[in-house]
Amino acid sequence: MRELTTPLGDEVLDLRAGDRITLSGIVYTARDEAHRRMLERGIPFDPRGAAVYHCGPLVRDGRVLAAGPTTSARMNAFTAFLLDRGVRALIGKGGMGGEVVEHLRGRGVYLAFTGGCAVLAASRMALEGVYWEDLGMAEAIWILRLDRLPLVVGIDARGTDLFASVMERARGCARL
């Protein structure tokens, strides 16, 4: 298992779909409304080497209580501009569309965290701050410090998509 720390660099280009890693350092949450606002107003953090977690955490009294991933495919149309500005990793669940696979090629990776494990994820996080809290708890951009969050490389920088491979194999089994 490889241990990575943000800000991320070219080391992500060596990862392969299916690799298990841990990620430490600062990540930024973003869901639909945060992506829309970043498109309109700009990205409020330095995106170079950043990791964006598709997540709407439960935060109370300065602590992250739960922080499970949301369905990443909802952000397909909003992803290219983040990668163009230097974001190196997207984190979520369920995979992303073929256009995102192409946008990641040679630039970054998609990392998967298991859905339903929000409390486990929160146990590896500390709250560092927030942007755009007016969007509400789930849609604000939360700044989180990770301590070795376990993840799987779902889409690598070579264009290998673990989710698409599993779907293809499942279709093959269904035809038998």
Side-chain angles (χ1 to χ4, degrees), residues 32 37 45 56 58 64 94 124 129 134-136 142 148 175:
D32 312 73
R37 189 175 283 185
F45 55 85
L58 174 60
V64 182
R124 300 291 185 147
D134 62 295
L135 292 175
W142 296 95
R148 294 171 289 129
R175 285 185 219 122

Side-chain angles (χ1 to χ4, degrees), residues 28-45 52-55 70-72 74-83 87 89-91 96 132 135 139-141:
Y28 304 92
T29 67
R31 292 174 36 132
D32 312 73
E33 291 304 317
H35 280 78
R36 282 188 189 93
R37 189 175 283 185
M38 285 191 285
L39 268 171
E40 295 168 5
R41 298 185 186 180
I43 301 169
F45 55 85
V52 172
Y53 185 21
H54 300 146
C55 169
T70 193
T71 303
S72 293
R74 293 198 330 258
M75 272 59 78
N76 284 344
F78 302 116
T79 299
F81 81 98
L82 292 173
L83 297 168
V87 168
L90 308 166
I91 306 167
M96 299 192 79
W132 300 336
L135 292 175
E139 295 291 340
I141 296 176

Side-chain angles (χ1 to χ4, degrees), residues 26-165:
I26 298 295
V27 302
Y28 304 92
T29 67
R31 292 174 36 132
D32 312 73
E33 291 304 317
H35 280 78
R36 282 188 189 93
R37 189 175 283 185
M38 285 191 285
L39 268 171
E40 295 168 5
R41 298 185 186 180
I43 301 169
F45 55 85
D46 184 352
R48 293 172 294 181
V52 172
Y53 185 21
H54 300 146
C55 169
L58 174 60
V59 174
R60 184 177 303 151
D61 299 327
R63 293 184 37 229
V64 182
L65 302 179
T70 193
T71 303
S72 293
R74 293 198 330 258
M75 272 59 78
N76 284 344
F78 302 116
T79 299
F81 81 98
L82 292 173
L83 297 168
D84 289 346
R85 285 161 181 79
V87 168
R88 287 289 196 151
L90 308 166
I91 306 167
K93 71 175 181 184
M96 299 192 79
E99 69 272 27
V100 175
V101 173
E102 291 308 313
H103 292 306
L104 287 167
R105 195 179 292 274
R107 300 197 289 181
V109 293
Y110 174 75
L111 304 170
F113 186 76
T114 304
C117 298
V119 175
L120 172 65
S123 73
R124 300 291 185 147
M125 299 174 175
L127 183 62
E128 294 283 326
V130 63
Y131 295 107
W132 300 336
E133 198 168 8
D134 62 295
L135 292 175
M137 186 183 302
E139 295 291 340
I141 296 176
W142 296 95
I143 307 164
L144 306 175
R145 180 171 298 281
L146 301 186
D147 178 20
R148 294 171 289 129
L149 182 69
L151 300 162
V152 174
V153 178
I155 304 171
D156 65 30
R158 294 173 181 84
T160 304
D161 182 345
L162 187 62
F163 295 92
S165 299

